[in-house]
Amino acid sequence: MSKFFSGDEQDRKFETKLIHFGGEVDRNTGASSVPIYQASTFHHHDIYNPPEYDYSRSGNPTRQALEDYIAVLEGGVKGFAFASGMAAISTTFMLFSAGDHLIVTEDVYGGTYRLLSTVLSRMNIETTFVDMTDPEQVKAALRPNTKAVYMETPSNPTLKITDMAEIAAWAREHGLLSIVDNTFMTPYYQRPIELGVDIVLHSATKFLGGHSDVLAGLAVARDEGLAQRLKYVQNGLGTVLGAQDSWLLMRGMKTLGARMAYSEVSARKLADWLQCRNDIEAVYYPGLEQHPGRAIQEKQSTGYGAVVSFDVGSGERAKKLLSEVKLPLVAVSLGAVESILSYPAMMSHASMPREVRLERGIGDGLLRFSVGLEDIDDLIADLDQALGSSKI
């Protein structure tokens, strides 16, 4: 836990913790914003008593404030800030060794799939991808050399829901680490460590940063032993976040609650509107009554999030729609103040072979809409005209 945050402060509501996380005021000057320590190295006043910080790869005061911040929000013992979400994921996977086996959500983010299937496979780290909406499939994938279960819930981009508490408990029984990518929900809606998960990961580029202006990743460890192992690997690989980006990320995180709450209301309205159309093949959103994972989502989260995926029936129509919309960015990424409409087949999951992508329900007509802070009626009107213009 943050070295500045203890006692009664832990009982504060989440929105208060976003602003008052324990290190928000500089202790030396009283500055209302954490200073940017733009330094690569630090003077040793006494060679026999080294300072807390000696080299910014190993530790930087600005990055430390961010790491304490995310540890407070997720309820872990220590946080770590990385140069990107994939840097956080890659560093975490480096906890494992040749011959180890991992069980992973089948419709995982394309970059994670690529890392596991084309990089870690060369290092003899094996992966079994399973449908984690069915815990029995997870359990059936257990091998003598299995070391961890990696969950993504809601999954990207089909928004399938995994019961984190059940999987984490099973993993603990078998001596496995449990890891969750919490990018879509953020700790505002979902805190996996409270459900027994060992490591929580974020592409902080997304909702945590929130403004499409910073590339960052975060990890939070459940216990001190695991935190020490992560720190050792992070320092050895040098996958750290710089001071400027650490400061930008903290600035974005202060408004996380307001942004998530507003965008979720809009996302619910968008999902309901899409669901009522007869020219949409499928709508994926955990808040819809017919979503198969809704009950589990409501058990382990306090909301449904701001991402809606929908299938317009064909790749040809999806591409035509992308050329017709006027308001959302047509881009890679999500979780920003501006709405972002993505095409997984050619963007987030382009690295996944088409046959594998289709097996996981990521069809050529699937689009992912990250709802921002625009007026939802304007977004719906824009999407309505684009859908009308894209009819084949």
Side-chain angles (χ1 to χ4, degrees):
M1 188 59 65
S2 166
K3 58 187 176 183
F4 301 126
F5 205 83
S6 59
D8 295 339
E9 295 168 326
Q10 295 298 338
D11 297 326
R12 291 174 179 169
K13 302 298 185 183
F14 188 86
E15 288 81 358
T16 303
K17 290 180 181 179
L18 283 171
I19 308 301
H20 303 281
F21 58 91
E24 69 277 2
V25 175
D26 180 49
R27 302 216 163 199
N28 294 320
T29 66
S32 61
S33 176
V34 174
I36 301 174
Y37 287 88
Q38 195 67 51
S40 61
T41 193
F42 301 84
H43 178 60
H44 288 55
H45 291 281
D46 179 352
I47 195 66
Y48 296 105
N49 293 287
E52 179 178 0
Y53 303 102
D54 63 359
Y55 187 61
S56 274
R57 173 168 52 81
S58 302
N60 176 282
T62 310
R63 189 171 80 241
Q64 185 66 58
L66 169 62
E67 292 174 334
D68 289 341
Y69 192 2
I70 192 60
V72 166
L73 299 183
E74 284 286 8
V77 299
K78 187 168 177 56
F80 303 91
F82 298 86
S84 68
M86 282 310 304
I89 292 168
S90 301
T91 300
T92 300
F93 280 136
M94 287 295 99
L95 293 173
F96 306 107
S97 304
D100 289 348
H101 171 251
L102 312 173
I103 304 172
V104 178
T105 300
E106 67 173 2
D107 51 334
V108 73
Y109 166 59
T112 306
Y113 176 87
R114 176 177 55 209
L115 173 69
L116 290 164
S117 61
T118 67
V119 178
L120 296 187
S121 59
R122 292 192 286 104
M123 301 176 184
N124 198 27
I125 295 176
E126 303 172 320
T127 304
T128 298
F129 296 96
V130 302
D131 179 359
M132 288 200 181
T133 63
D134 180 4
E136 295 307 312
Q137 290 192 36
V138 180
K139 297 171 184 177
L142 182 67
R143 300 180 187 174
N145 59 331
T146 303
K147 300 298 181 183
V149 180
Y150 183 97
M151 297 171 270
E152 192 177 272
T153 182
S155 62
N156 180 11
T158 54
L159 302 174
K160 293 180 179 178
I161 307 302
T162 298
D163 189 327
M164 288 185 286
E166 180 174 352
I167 298 302
W170 174 81
R172 194 169 299 278
E173 287 175 8
H174 291 83
L176 314 179
L177 286 180
S178 55
I179 306 165
V180 168
D181 183 332
N182 199 28
T183 297
F184 274 32
M185 286 291 104
T186 81
Y188 180 74
Y189 283 129
Q190 183 169 276
R191 288 179 289 282
I193 286 174
E194 295 177 3
L195 300 173
V197 170
D198 294 309
I199 299 174
V200 179
L201 299 172
H202 293 276
S203 173
T205 309
K206 314 301 193 299
F207 287 108
L208 289 173
H211 292 77
S212 298
D213 58 7
V214 63
L215 187 69
L218 295 172
V220 181
R222 177 183 181 83
D223 61 56
E224 290 289 351
L226 196 51
Q228 290 176 13
R229 291 169 61 193
L230 269 173
K231 178 65 176 178
Y232 183 83
V233 178
Q234 182 196 43
N235 189 44
L237 293 175
T239 50
V240 298
L241 189 64
Q244 292 272 354
D245 288 337
S246 294
W247 183 88
L248 269 175
L249 183 52
M250 282 187 282
R251 185 177 68 168
M253 287 166 63
K254 290 178 180 179
T255 60
L256 175 67
R259 289 186 286 104
M260 291 297 288
Y262 184 94
S263 290
E264 192 210 32
V265 171
S266 296
R268 290 193 200 188
K269 188 170 182 179
L270 175 62
D272 288 337
W273 178 79
L274 287 165
Q275 186 67 31
C276 292
R277 295 184 66 100
N278 58 16
D279 61 344
I280 300 296
E281 295 287 329
V283 182
Y284 306 93
Y285 184 67
L288 292 172
E289 288 187 12
Q290 64 270 34
H291 191 289
R294 179 170 175 171
I296 296 173
Q297 179 71 10
E298 292 177 344
K299 180 181 71 171
Q300 66 190 17
S301 309
T302 58
Y304 307 110
V307 177
V308 181
S309 294
F310 58 101
D311 197 317
V312 297
S314 70
E316 183 182 0
R317 189 180 185 208
K319 293 169 189 174
K320 192 172 182 182
L321 183 149
L322 291 168
S323 69
E324 296 290 340
V325 291
K326 302 294 190 284
L327 289 179
L329 291 177
V330 175
V332 175
S333 199
L334 55 96
V337 292
E338 57 274 325
S339 292
I340 300 177
L341 186 58
S342 295
Y343 186 38
M346 296 180 69
M347 294 180 179
S348 62
H349 290 70
S351 59
M352 185 177 283
R354 185 173 185 270
E355 63 276 11
V356 175
R357 178 167 52 76
L358 294 177
E359 286 174 2
R360 285 151 172 73
I362 308 169
D364 292 338
L366 187 69
L367 295 166
R368 188 188 69 200
F369 201 120
S370 173
V371 182
L373 300 186
E374 303 94 340
D375 185 280
I376 187 57
D377 291 332
D378 287 340
L379 290 172
I380 287 176
D382 181 40
L383 193 55
D384 186 38
Q385 66 82 22
L387 284 165
S389 299
S390 64
K391 287 183 178 178
I392 305 300

